[in-house]
Amino acid sequence: CSGQGESCGPPRCGESLRWGRPADERKCRFNACGPLAGCFISQRIGQLVLEKPPGVVGPNAVIKLARALKEGPGPEAAQDIFAAAGCQDLLAHPPSEMVDERIPAQLFETLWQKLPDAIARRVAEDAGSRTGRYILEKLIPSLVQKILRRLPPPIALRLLTIAIGRNAWTFAGSGPCRVRPRNPAVIEIARNPVRMPDCIWHQAVFAELFGELVAGDVLVRHPQCCRSGSNVCRFEVVLGTARTEVARAQLAGPANGM
């Protein structure tokens, strides 16, 4: 799931930006799941994965941020932030295809520039939760969801982590991503192009997905962040008794790479 190349500085949306190739120009391929290739669930979740152009992410990184702003701080705040980021056209005409990763990066950067930290965090969390709910409602088949919820949480955790790794480019863009499907499950994005303070948006997306499909009491942690000087943004999804081990590890210092 490694991307190609690195993004340059964020452009303004008035410049020439590619939103990714039209759907009919993209190719689909079947993705099995390595050692779990025989598993119906993992195949169904990762079955249709579009060949990715470099440096693009899903449009909901923009769409759900706009809605969170409108229903949170208000329409005027949404207009102010999108205009300051040079993306006012996307507020009136939400994207329907993949977007250049620099667009949400600029929007989230502007979010923290324009709003107090506490409010910006609430908006980013709301946008991430909305994105997670959209994935559940539109992208993961209901049958797969039912089966995952009935599986023992450690197995469901493993399957969902693998599926997220297979589709990581939709939120990691050009940032190479790798996962470790254990407990705690680990998702790492190198050179995360859509970084922000504590990567609140990413944490909220993962919390929504794992909380709904694996266990209601999962804990999502973000011990390493590119914004703080790390080479990777590292997310950990913790189940049950593993929380005690995580608490002990915190006393020993920051988590190491995989």
Side-chain angles (χ1 to χ4, degrees), residues 38-154:
C39 176
F40 165 78
I41 299 173
S42 58
Q43 289 178 2
R44 289 294 296 175
I45 296 178
Q47 188 172 15
L48 295 178
V49 178
L50 298 176
E51 294 286 0
K52 77 179 185 71
V56 296
V57 296
N60 277 294
V62 174
I63 296 171
K64 303 308 181 186
L65 175 59
R67 292 184 181 175
L69 280 167
K70 290 176 180 178
E71 297 181 21
E76 290 185 2
Q79 182 65 41
D80 183 34
I81 288 168
F82 271 69
C87 299
Q88 57 268 34
D89 289 346
L90 295 182
L91 193 61
H93 305 286
S96 59
E97 298 288 341
M98 303 298 288
V99 300
D100 188 304
E101 64 188 17
R102 294 170 293 178
I103 292 175
Q106 179 64 27
L107 283 168
F108 280 110
E109 186 70 26
T110 307
L111 175 70
W112 260 268
Q113 292 174 356
K114 291 288 186 178
L115 296 178
D117 180 72
I119 298 177
R121 286 173 180 270
R122 286 200 297 270
V123 170
E125 181 178 12
D126 185 17
S129 296
R130 289 170 184 266
T131 301
R133 290 195 294 273
Y134 176 87
I135 294 171
L136 291 168
E137 293 170 2
K138 303 294 185 180
L139 302 181
I140 301 179
S142 58
L143 176 60
V144 171
Q145 295 190 38
K146 290 178 181 178
I147 296 175
L148 281 173
R149 291 187 179 105
R150 293 181 181 179
L151 286 172

Side-chain angles (χ1 to χ4, degrees), residues 212-235:
E212 284 292 325
L213 299 178
V214 177
D217 62 345
V218 294
L219 172 67
V220 178
R221 300 177 60 244
H222 184 40
Q224 293 175 241
C225 187
C226 294
R227 194 179 179 93
S228 301
S230 175
N231 292 326
V232 299
C233 278
R234 177 185 174 102
F235 304 90

